[in-house]
Amino acid sequence: MTVVQDHTTALAPPADWAGAAPAPMGVDQAFNGYVAATVVHALDRLGIWDRLAADPLLDLRVVAADLGPAVRERVLRELVRAAATCGWLRLQDGDKALLTSAGQEIIRMRGYFTWGVGGYDEVFAQAHRIVSGEAAFGTGVLRDEAMVALGSGQNDRSFMAGTLDEVLADVDFSVLADLGSGISARVSRVVGERPGTRGLGLDISGPATELGHRTIAEAGLADRVQAIQTDVLDVCHRDAHRDKLAEVDTVMSFFLLHDLLADPVTRPHTFTRMREAFPAARTFVLADTVLRPDSENATALPVFSLGYELAHALMGVPLHTKETYEELFAAAGLVPRRIVPFGTPHSWLYVLEAH
């Protein structure tokens, strides 16, 4: 087994802070952080971060015109001014905004805000009702699955793709399945860079799958990649796609495993069922964010961890330690060939061989 150190130092899994005494978050940080997060997400949905990534000097008059006749230009300018107050932009000549180095980092990390503000806004806002029993996730409270998938895709491009490409360079495959593929961005990118291969984007979410069809078409891969809405661990769903699944020789799945392991009754057999769903697969490339270990201490709160853990607590989805994952892999006859730190804090990428 090879353990490879992460070369993405800015986002390497940091030391855990759970047992330490980090400096208390000030009221100003808490409130301004909440507002700032909504600003990041709003600018992303308006396409402004993409514009700034292409050209760091933004002409607000051009942006307003491009957004159409219904745009509220005064509100747009206030949104941009809020971003400037946060230090991500610098206003110039009344009508222009220049991207700062801090803004460049926001662009790189915006997937977290798409995931949190876009995907889990209602879940966090209804936390008190979930706790009191007035509401429950999945019935009265829902997440935006398309935004969760989009945020994951943005993070993949920003700081996971390079690590994954390096790992997959040593994996020989013909037909690749991405389980929990979201908008199929990852499987499209990987297959697109590997001539002669084919891919399946498999996701239980209808909205994410619809976005997946668009992603595949835009990549010009409709003849090689297919997005399918299905739960392959459910026999009834699996039977409808049995022939396609039987061709898969390599399976990858990213940040879905904690959902698959949520039910304590089926948990011990989850990876055995995964192997049964893909009978010809001999390589499994799996990644997930694990529960922060109590044995490590730090004085700073890492990005993502707090939101990730609270969101899953509100949804009733338990999280597990790295040791638990490895015990479950072993029980299913999946032997680690490589273990690599993977982008977000406390996240690991495994290359497993079926025995």
Side-chain angles (χ1 to χ4, degrees):
M1 180 179 70
T2 302
V3 178
V4 181
Q5 295 302 312
D6 190 2
H7 297 294
T8 313
T9 55
L11 284 171
D16 185 56
W17 60 275
M25 183 181 293
V27 174
D28 57 342
Q29 291 176 295
F31 185 82
N32 292 333
Y34 168 75
V35 176
T38 66
V39 170
V40 174
H41 182 60
L43 291 176
D44 192 45
R45 301 312 301 148
L46 290 168
I48 289 176
W49 292 128
D50 284 333
R51 287 174 175 266
L52 287 164
D55 183 348
L57 186 61
L58 188 74
D59 190 319
L60 299 179
R61 294 166 299 183
V62 173
V63 173
D66 289 346
L67 288 174
V71 69
R72 296 179 172 90
E73 185 173 346
R74 184 187 66 78
V75 181
L76 170 65
R77 288 176 178 272
E78 287 301 315
L79 192 64
V80 170
R81 188 172 72 86
T85 299
C86 294
W88 305 324
L89 303 173
R90 189 163 60 247
L91 299 179
Q92 293 184 345
D93 302 326
D95 292 311
K96 295 180 180 179
L98 180 67
L99 184 68
T100 66
S101 59
Q104 292 173 343
E105 183 69 354
I106 286 292
I107 290 175
R108 192 172 77 94
M109 306 277 272
R110 60 183 154 159
Y112 288 121
F113 299 89
T114 304
W115 179 93
V117 180
Y120 283 95
D121 178 64
E122 183 182 358
V123 178
F124 291 135
Q126 297 299 323
H128 64 292
R129 298 183 66 232
I130 294 173
V131 171
S132 68
E134 297 176 55
F137 176 78
T139 53
V141 179
L142 301 173
R143 64 183 177 182
D144 187 322
E145 294 177 346
M147 287 296 101
V148 171
L150 178 60
S152 298
Q154 288 174 321
N155 279 351
D156 171 55
R157 291 190 296 274
S158 290
F159 45 80
M160 296 177 190
T163 300
L164 178 61
D165 288 347
E166 189 271 328
V167 168
L168 287 180
D170 293 331
V171 176
D172 185 23
F173 67 87
S174 296
V175 182
L176 176 69
D178 188 359
L179 183 59
S181 60
I183 63 173
S184 292
R186 185 181 289 109
V187 67
S188 295
R189 183 180 59 78
V190 172
V191 169
E193 294 173 355
R194 192 80 66 94
T197 64
R198 292 181 290 124
L200 298 176
L202 308 171
D203 203 284
I204 197 171
S205 166
T209 303
E210 286 302 313
L211 287 174
H213 293 313
R214 188 188 313 168
T215 300
I216 293 166
E218 290 174 352
L221 293 169
D223 58 332
R224 294 171 54 199
V225 181
Q226 183 178 3
I228 300 173
Q229 181 184 357
T230 184
D231 178 0
V232 299
L233 299 188
D234 183 295
V235 174
C236 295
H237 287 254
R238 188 165 72 225
D239 283 347
H241 308 287
R242 182 181 296 274
D243 292 344
K244 291 185 177 67
L245 301 182
E247 296 179 324
V248 172
D249 53 51
T250 299
V251 177
M252 63 181 184
S253 184
F254 302 91
F255 306 105
L256 174 70
L257 302 184
H258 55 278
D259 289 316
L260 301 182
L261 298 173
D263 187 341
V265 175
T266 59
R267 185 179 303 148
H269 315 293
T270 296
F271 295 112
T272 300
R273 291 164 61 207
M274 189 183 295
R275 291 191 61 179
E276 292 170 351
F278 303 99
R282 290 294 171 265
T283 303
F284 292 77
V285 182
L286 307 179
D288 208 0
T289 301
V290 304
L291 190 65
R292 291 172 297 158
D294 292 333
S295 59
E296 296 177 350
N297 297 298
T299 58
L301 183 66
V303 67
F304 187 59
S305 294
L306 180 62
Y308 179 78
E309 293 178 359
L310 179 57
H312 286 84
L314 293 170
M315 291 189 293
V317 177
L319 301 178
H320 305 281
T321 65
K322 184 170 180 283
E323 290 74 19
T324 296
Y325 278 89
E326 293 174 1
E327 290 168 3
L328 292 170
F329 293 152
L334 296 174
V335 178
R337 195 173 82 196
R338 295 187 70 181
I339 304 174
V340 184
F342 197 45
T344 57
H346 307 292
S347 300
W348 298 91
L349 175 64
Y350 288 83
V351 178
L352 304 153
E353 298 295 340
H355 288 269

Short mmCIF file of all heavy atoms in Angstrom, two decimals, residues 146-184:
data_model
loop_
_atom_site.label_atom_id
_atom_site.label_comp_id
_atom_site.label_asym_id
_atom_site.label_seq_id
_atom_site.Cartn_x
_atom_site.Cartn_y
_atom_site.Cartn_z
N ALA A 146 -29.24 20.01 -7.48
CA ALA A 146 -28.48 20.50 -8.63
C ALA A 146 -27.33 21.40 -8.19
O ALA A 146 -26.22 21.32 -8.72
CB ALA A 146 -29.40 21.23 -9.60
N MET A 147 -27.58 22.26 -7.18
CA MET A 147 -26.52 23.14 -6.69
C MET A 147 -25.45 22.36 -5.93
O MET A 147 -24.26 22.69 -6.00
CB MET A 147 -27.12 24.22 -5.78
CG MET A 147 -27.90 25.31 -6.50
SD MET A 147 -26.87 26.31 -7.62
CE MET A 147 -27.29 25.57 -9.21
N VAL A 148 -25.85 21.34 -5.20
CA VAL A 148 -24.86 20.48 -4.53
C VAL A 148 -23.95 19.84 -5.57
O VAL A 148 -22.72 19.82 -5.43
CB VAL A 148 -25.56 19.40 -3.68
CG1 VAL A 148 -24.55 18.38 -3.16
CG2 VAL A 148 -26.30 20.04 -2.50
N ALA A 149 -24.56 19.33 -6.64
CA ALA A 149 -23.78 18.70 -7.70
C ALA A 149 -22.89 19.72 -8.41
O ALA A 149 -21.72 19.44 -8.72
CB ALA A 149 -24.71 18.03 -8.71
N LEU A 150 -23.42 20.92 -8.67
CA LEU A 150 -22.63 21.95 -9.35
C LEU A 150 -21.45 22.38 -8.49
O LEU A 150 -20.33 22.54 -8.99
CB LEU A 150 -23.52 23.15 -9.66
CG LEU A 150 -22.83 24.34 -10.35
CD1 LEU A 150 -22.23 23.93 -11.68
CD2 LEU A 150 -23.82 25.49 -10.54
N GLY A 151 -21.68 22.57 -7.19
CA GLY A 151 -20.59 22.94 -6.29
C GLY A 151 -19.50 21.89 -6.26
O GLY A 151 -18.30 22.21 -6.25
N SER A 152 -19.91 20.63 -6.24
CA SER A 152 -18.93 19.54 -6.25
C SER A 152 -18.11 19.57 -7.54
O SER A 152 -16.90 19.35 -7.52
CB SER A 152 -19.65 18.20 -6.10
OG SER A 152 -20.33 18.13 -4.86
N GLY A 153 -18.79 19.85 -8.66
CA GLY A 153 -18.08 19.94 -9.93
C GLY A 153 -17.10 21.09 -9.98
O GLY A 153 -15.99 20.97 -10.51
N GLN A 154 -17.48 22.23 -9.39
CA GLN A 154 -16.56 23.38 -9.34
C GLN A 154 -15.34 23.05 -8.49
O GLN A 154 -14.20 23.38 -8.87
CB GLN A 154 -17.30 24.59 -8.75
CG GLN A 154 -18.33 25.20 -9.69
CD GLN A 154 -19.13 26.30 -9.02
OE1 GLN A 154 -19.48 26.21 -7.86
NE2 GLN A 154 -19.43 27.34 -9.77
N ASN A 155 -15.54 22.43 -7.35
CA ASN A 155 -14.40 22.05 -6.50
C ASN A 155 -13.51 21.04 -7.19
O ASN A 155 -12.28 21.09 -7.06
CB ASN A 155 -14.90 21.49 -5.17
CG ASN A 155 -15.28 22.59 -4.20
OD1 ASN A 155 -15.02 23.76 -4.43
ND2 ASN A 155 -15.90 22.20 -3.10
N ASP A 156 -14.12 20.13 -7.92
CA ASP A 156 -13.33 19.12 -8.64
C ASP A 156 -12.38 19.80 -9.61
O ASP A 156 -11.18 19.50 -9.65
CB ASP A 156 -14.27 18.18 -9.39
CG ASP A 156 -13.52 17.25 -10.32
OD1 ASP A 156 -12.61 16.54 -9.84
OD2 ASP A 156 -13.83 17.23 -11.53
N ARG A 157 -12.88 20.76 -10.37
CA ARG A 157 -12.04 21.44 -11.35
C ARG A 157 -10.95 22.27 -10.67
O ARG A 157 -9.84 22.38 -11.18
CB ARG A 157 -12.89 22.32 -12.25
CG ARG A 157 -13.81 21.56 -13.19
CD ARG A 157 -14.45 22.47 -14.21
NE ARG A 157 -15.34 23.45 -13.60
CZ ARG A 157 -16.61 23.23 -13.32
NH1 ARG A 157 -17.15 22.05 -13.55
NH2 ARG A 157 -17.36 24.19 -12.79
N SER A 158 -11.29 22.84 -9.52
CA SER A 158 -10.35 23.77 -8.88
C SER A 158 -9.19 23.08 -8.19
O SER A 158 -8.04 23.51 -8.31
CB SER A 158 -11.10 24.64 -7.86
OG SER A 158 -11.95 25.54 -8.50
N PHE A 159 -9.45 22.02 -7.44
CA PHE A 159 -8.34 21.48 -6.66
C PHE A 159 -8.38 19.96 -6.43
O PHE A 159 -7.69 19.46 -5.56
CB PHE A 159 -8.24 22.19 -5.30
CG PHE A 159 -9.55 22.38 -4.58
CD1 PHE A 159 -10.14 21.36 -3.87
CD2 PHE A 159 -10.17 23.61 -4.61
CE1 PHE A 159 -11.32 21.55 -3.19
CE2 PHE A 159 -11.37 23.81 -3.94
CZ PHE A 159 -11.94 22.79 -3.23
N MET A 160 -9.15 19.24 -7.24
CA MET A 160 -9.11 17.78 -7.14
C MET A 160 -8.70 17.12 -8.45
O MET A 160 -8.14 16.03 -8.44
CB MET A 160 -10.48 17.24 -6.72
CG MET A 160 -10.91 17.69 -5.35
SD MET A 160 -12.58 17.11 -4.94
CE MET A 160 -12.88 18.05 -3.44
N ALA A 161 -8.98 17.80 -9.56
CA ALA A 161 -8.76 17.18 -10.87
C ALA A 161 -7.31 16.75 -11.07
O ALA A 161 -7.05 15.66 -11.60
CB ALA A 161 -9.18 18.15 -11.97
N GLY A 162 -6.36 17.59 -10.67
CA GLY A 162 -4.95 17.25 -10.87
C GLY A 162 -4.56 15.99 -10.10
O GLY A 162 -3.85 15.13 -10.64
N THR A 163 -5.00 15.89 -8.86
CA THR A 163 -4.70 14.71 -8.06
C THR A 163 -5.33 13.47 -8.67
O THR A 163 -4.70 12.40 -8.79
CB THR A 163 -5.21 14.88 -6.61
OG1 THR A 163 -4.57 16.02 -6.03
CG2 THR A 163 -4.92 13.66 -5.77
N LEU A 164 -6.60 13.60 -9.07
CA LEU A 164 -7.28 12.46 -9.68
C LEU A 164 -6.61 12.04 -10.97
O LEU A 164 -6.42 10.83 -11.23
CB LEU A 164 -8.75 12.81 -9.93
CG LEU A 164 -9.58 11.71 -10.60
CD1 LEU A 164 -9.62 10.45 -9.74
CD2 LEU A 164 -10.98 12.20 -10.89
N ASP A 165 -6.23 12.98 -11.81
CA ASP A 165 -5.56 12.65 -13.07
C ASP A 165 -4.27 11.89 -12.82
O ASP A 165 -3.94 10.92 -13.53
CB ASP A 165 -5.27 13.91 -13.87
CG ASP A 165 -6.53 14.53 -14.45
OD1 ASP A 165 -7.58 13.86 -14.46
OD2 ASP A 165 -6.46 15.70 -14.89
N GLU A 166 -3.52 12.33 -11.81
CA GLU A 166 -2.26 11.66 -11.49
C GLU A 166 -2.51 10.23 -11.03
O GLU A 166 -1.78 9.31 -11.41
CB GLU A 166 -1.53 12.47 -10.40
CG GLU A 166 -0.11 12.00 -10.11
CD GLU A 166 -0.09 10.93 -9.02
OE1 GLU A 166 -0.96 10.99 -8.13
OE2 GLU A 166 0.78 10.04 -9.08
N VAL A 167 -3.56 10.03 -10.26
CA VAL A 167 -3.89 8.69 -9.78
C VAL A 167 -4.41 7.81 -10.92
O VAL A 167 -4.00 6.66 -11.07
CB VAL A 167 -4.92 8.78 -8.64
CG1 VAL A 167 -5.51 7.41 -8.33
CG2 VAL A 167 -4.28 9.37 -7.39
N LEU A 168 -5.31 8.38 -11.75
CA LEU A 168 -5.90 7.58 -12.83
C LEU A 168 -4.91 7.27 -13.94
O LEU A 168 -5.16 6.36 -14.74
CB LEU A 168 -7.10 8.33 -13.41
CG LEU A 168 -8.36 8.36 -12.55
CD1 LEU A 168 -9.46 9.13 -13.25
CD2 LEU A 168 -8.85 6.95 -12.22
N ALA A 169 -3.80 7.99 -13.99
CA ALA A 169 -2.79 7.68 -15.00
C ALA A 169 -2.27 6.26 -14.86
O ALA A 169 -1.81 5.65 -15.83
CB ALA A 169 -1.63 8.68 -14.90
N ASP A 170 -2.35 5.72 -13.65
CA ASP A 170 -1.89 4.35 -13.39
C ASP A 170 -3.02 3.33 -13.45
O ASP A 170 -2.81 2.16 -13.13
CB ASP A 170 -1.22 4.27 -12.02
CG ASP A 170 0.09 5.06 -11.96
OD1 ASP A 170 0.73 5.18 -13.03
OD2 ASP A 170 0.44 5.54 -10.88
N VAL A 171 -4.22 3.77 -13.83
CA VAL A 171 -5.37 2.86 -13.88
C VAL A 171 -5.75 2.64 -15.34
O VAL A 171 -6.05 3.58 -16.07
CB VAL A 171 -6.57 3.44 -13.11
CG1 VAL A 171 -7.79 2.53 -13.26
CG2 VAL A 171 -6.22 3.61 -11.63
N ASP A 172 -5.75 1.38 -15.76
CA ASP A 172 -6.10 1.03 -17.13
C ASP A 172 -7.59 0.67 -17.17
O ASP A 172 -8.02 -0.25 -16.48
CB ASP A 172 -5.26 -0.16 -17.60
CG ASP A 172 -5.51 -0.49 -19.06
OD1 ASP A 172 -5.96 0.39 -19.80
OD2 ASP A 172 -5.27 -1.66 -19.44
N PHE A 173 -8.38 1.42 -17.93
CA PHE A 173 -9.81 1.11 -18.00
C PHE A 173 -10.33 1.29 -19.42
O PHE A 173 -9.76 2.03 -20.23
CB PHE A 173 -10.61 2.02 -17.05
CG PHE A 173 -10.62 3.48 -17.41
CD1 PHE A 173 -11.56 3.99 -18.28
CD2 PHE A 173 -9.67 4.35 -16.87
CE1 PHE A 173 -11.57 5.35 -18.62
CE2 PHE A 173 -9.68 5.70 -17.20
CZ PHE A 173 -10.62 6.20 -18.08
N SER A 174 -11.43 0.59 -19.70
CA SER A 174 -12.13 0.73 -20.97
C SER A 174 -13.48 1.40 -20.79
O SER A 174 -13.87 2.28 -21.56
CB SER A 174 -12.32 -0.65 -21.63
OG SER A 174 -11.09 -1.23 -21.95
N VAL A 175 -14.21 0.95 -19.76
CA VAL A 175 -15.51 1.53 -19.45
C VAL A 175 -15.51 1.95 -17.99
O VAL A 175 -15.35 1.13 -17.10
CB VAL A 175 -16.66 0.54 -19.71
CG1 VAL A 175 -18.01 1.21 -19.43
CG2 VAL A 175 -16.61 0.03 -21.15
N LEU A 176 -15.69 3.25 -17.78
CA LEU A 176 -15.59 3.83 -16.45
C LEU A 176 -16.97 4.28 -15.98
O LEU A 176 -17.68 4.97 -16.70
CB LEU A 176 -14.65 5.04 -16.50
CG LEU A 176 -14.47 5.87 -15.23
CD1 LEU A 176 -13.72 5.09 -14.17
CD2 LEU A 176 -13.74 7.18 -15.55
N ALA A 177 -17.35 3.89 -14.78
CA ALA A 177 -18.61 4.34 -14.20
C ALA A 177 -18.32 5.29 -13.05
O ALA A 177 -17.45 5.01 -12.21
CB ALA A 177 -19.43 3.15 -13.69
N ASP A 178 -19.04 6.41 -13.02
CA ASP A 178 -18.93 7.36 -11.91
C ASP A 178 -20.23 7.25 -11.11
O ASP A 178 -21.30 7.68 -11.57
CB ASP A 178 -18.74 8.78 -12.44
CG ASP A 178 -18.43 9.78 -11.32
OD1 ASP A 178 -18.39 9.37 -10.16
OD2 ASP A 178 -18.24 10.97 -11.64
N LEU A 179 -20.14 6.67 -9.94
CA LEU A 179 -21.31 6.44 -9.08
C LEU A 179 -21.55 7.67 -8.22
O LEU A 179 -20.67 8.07 -7.46
CB LEU A 179 -21.06 5.20 -8.21
CG LEU A 179 -22.17 4.74 -7.29
CD1 LEU A 179 -23.43 4.43 -8.08
CD2 LEU A 179 -21.73 3.53 -6.49
N GLY A 180 -22.75 8.26 -8.34
CA GLY A 180 -22.99 9.55 -7.70
C GLY A 180 -22.33 10.65 -8.50
O GLY A 180 -21.66 11.52 -7.95
N SER A 181 -22.54 10.62 -9.80
CA SER A 181 -21.77 11.46 -10.72
C SER A 181 -22.17 12.92 -10.71
O SER A 181 -21.48 13.75 -11.29
CB SER A 181 -21.92 10.92 -12.15
OG SER A 181 -23.29 10.93 -12.54
N GLY A 182 -23.30 13.25 -10.08
CA GLY A 182 -23.75 14.64 -10.10
C GLY A 182 -24.06 15.08 -11.52
O GLY A 182 -24.86 14.44 -12.21
N ILE A 183 -23.42 16.14 -11.98
CA ILE A 183 -23.68 16.66 -13.32
C ILE A 183 -22.79 16.00 -14.39
O ILE A 183 -22.70 16.48 -15.51
CB ILE A 183 -23.52 18.19 -13.36
CG1 ILE A 183 -22.07 18.59 -13.03
CG2 ILE A 183 -24.49 18.86 -12.42
CD1 ILE A 183 -21.80 20.08 -13.23
N SER A 184 -22.14 14.90 -14.03
CA SER A 184 -21.29 14.13 -14.95
C SER A 184 -20.08 14.90 -15.46
O SER A 184 -19.50 14.55 -16.50
CB SER A 184 -22.10 13.59 -16.14
OG SER A 184 -23.03 12.61 -15.72
#
